[in-house]
Amino acid sequence: MKKKLLYTGILSVSGFLLACGPADNGDDAETDTAQEELGEDTAEETSWADIEEEGVLTVGTSGTYAPITFFDENNELTGFEVELVREIGERLDLEVEFETMDFDGILPSLRNGQIDVAAHDFAITEERLEIFDFVDPHKFSYGSIIVRQEDADRFKSAYDLEGVDVAVGSLTSNYAIFADNIGANGTAYDGGVEAILRDVINGNQDAYLNDYLVLLNTLNEFGDDQLTIAEDVKFHATESAMAVLKGNTSLRDRLSETLQELMDDGTVSELSVEFLGADVTEPVDESEIVSLDGE
């Protein structure tokens, strides 16, 4: 059972105060206001304490975004971020319970209190920071595209995507937003990455936008030499992190502290090399990466 903070306000009934007559000089109202302010200032933020007491960390992810979060051949949930969360849970002596759901439902579930943490390679954006707090970043990368082999030299920059038919995984992803900002004709798919790649091969789409390292994994898994990555196309430098509900600062800070321990002892690097084929713990060189306002 999820524990939620309940904030209690002090209600002032104006009709009652007016009935007090001339002897009422407004001091009661001032006292009520002072008590409200005092209550807000002294209310203890207990997001971490509640989870620590319960002993369970509930985490939302999709299980459909390899190599970040996916089900292996034994139908076991795994992936870079999944295993990272498990390592954090072990360090904190918590049982980690994963709730798998569509990507578009993860952040709404976090906002509604159904999960404690969202773990799905979420990039930190200004829009998301209005609603959520983020643990310190654990993955640095950038976007690129898969294209037909014959078009490998067609795209020299992300700006070459203007007016091009492109596929993205979700309408709410950063890559869908980037496609819109750059003037590409983006189409979101909910049928999985295989359908996207088939459409690129067949000419229904000219490119597939996603994280560069995710695209590398996708090509290796798909195993079709008709496709390749346009290596010159680099856009949308990202800092990915786990999200918590805004205001849950004690939970955010505790997770960040534990993540830093895993950074320092090399655990995050080892996991990223295992699942992504590269160490993603250092910021990327942004000198050749296209970035657009409004991402």
Side-chain angles (χ1 to χ4, degrees):
M1 181 75 68
K2 284 277 168 287
K3 297 181 176 65
K4 300 179 181 177
L5 285 176
L6 299 178
Y7 295 94
T8 304
I10 300 174
L11 300 179
S12 173
V13 184
S14 58
F16 174 79
L17 293 177
L18 290 172
C20 292
D24 179 10
N25 58 12
D27 289 343
D28 288 344
E30 292 178 4
T31 301
D32 285 351
T33 301
Q35 288 174 342
E36 284 183 352
E37 293 176 350
L38 181 61
E40 290 176 0
D41 291 341
T42 60
E44 183 181 2
E45 197 281 291
T46 63
S47 57
W48 163 243
D50 293 342
I51 289 171
E52 184 178 32
E53 180 181 357
E54 187 176 359
V56 178
L57 185 70
T58 305
V59 181
T61 192
S62 77
T64 60
Y65 188 56
I68 304 298
T69 167
F70 64 98
F71 287 91
D72 63 18
E73 62 275 8
N74 298 315
N75 202 34
E76 297 290 337
L77 184 66
T78 188
F80 169 57
E81 200 152 345
V82 169
E83 299 306 329
L84 177 57
V85 171
R86 286 184 173 136
E87 288 283 351
I88 290 174
E90 184 175 343
R91 295 289 177 97
L92 293 174
D93 196 26
L94 296 175
E95 177 185 351
V96 177
E97 292 184 353
F98 286 98
E99 297 285 345
T100 56
M101 60 194 73
D102 291 341
F103 172 80
D104 290 340
I106 298 173
L107 291 181
S109 294
L110 179 61
R111 189 172 187 175
N112 294 335
Q114 297 169 259
I115 57 177
D116 302 313
V117 177
H120 198 287
D121 201 27
F122 283 108
I124 302 172
T125 66
E126 291 183 6
E127 182 180 21
R128 288 171 178 164
L129 284 169
E130 292 178 1
I131 306 172
F132 307 103
D133 282 334
F134 283 86
V135 179
D136 289 345
H138 60 262
K139 174 177 171 286
F140 298 87
S141 189
Y142 60 88
S144 190
I145 57 174
I146 287 178
V147 297
R148 291 179 292 277
Q149 185 70 246
E150 64 203 55
D151 289 338
D153 296 329
R154 173 184 171 188
F155 300 98
K156 297 296 186 183
S157 163
Y159 292 110
D160 293 334
L161 294 171
E162 184 177 0
V164 172
D165 294 331
V166 303
V168 295
S170 167
L171 278 175
T172 62
S173 71
N174 291 319
Y175 302 104
I177 297 171
F178 185 91
D180 183 61
N181 288 342
I182 203 113
N185 304 319
T187 299
Y189 282 67
D190 58 8
V193 69
E194 185 170 340
I196 293 175
L197 298 182
R198 291 295 179 198
D199 270 2
V200 174
I201 291 173
N202 296 333
N204 295 325
Q205 302 291 343
D206 290 318
Y208 168 41
L209 280 65
N210 211 321
D211 177 272
Y212 173 71
L213 293 172
V214 170
L215 293 179
L216 279 179
N217 179 82
T218 299
L219 278 184
N220 291 335
E221 291 292 322
F222 193 65
D224 192 318
D225 59 10
Q226 296 180 81
L227 298 171
T228 189
I229 291 181
E231 295 287 350
D232 291 334
V233 177
K234 302 177 180 181
F235 62 88
H236 187 58
T238 56
E239 297 182 354
S240 298
M242 291 170 278
V244 301
L245 192 62
K246 195 170 190 67
N248 285 358
T249 53
S250 60
L251 174 59
R252 178 202 64 193
D253 293 347
R254 194 69 185 91
L255 294 176
S256 290
E257 290 169 7
T258 308
L259 174 66
Q260 188 59 55
E261 294 173 8
L262 294 170
M263 286 278 199
D264 292 341
D265 68 17
T267 300
V268 182
S269 295
E270 291 172 6
L271 287 174
S272 67
V273 170
E274 176 184 351
F275 286 99
L276 296 163
D279 187 345
V280 298
T281 60
E282 296 293 334
V284 299
D285 180 2
E286 297 188 33
S287 60
E288 297 181 354
I289 297 176
V290 172
S291 178
L292 297 179
D293 292 336
E295 291 178 87

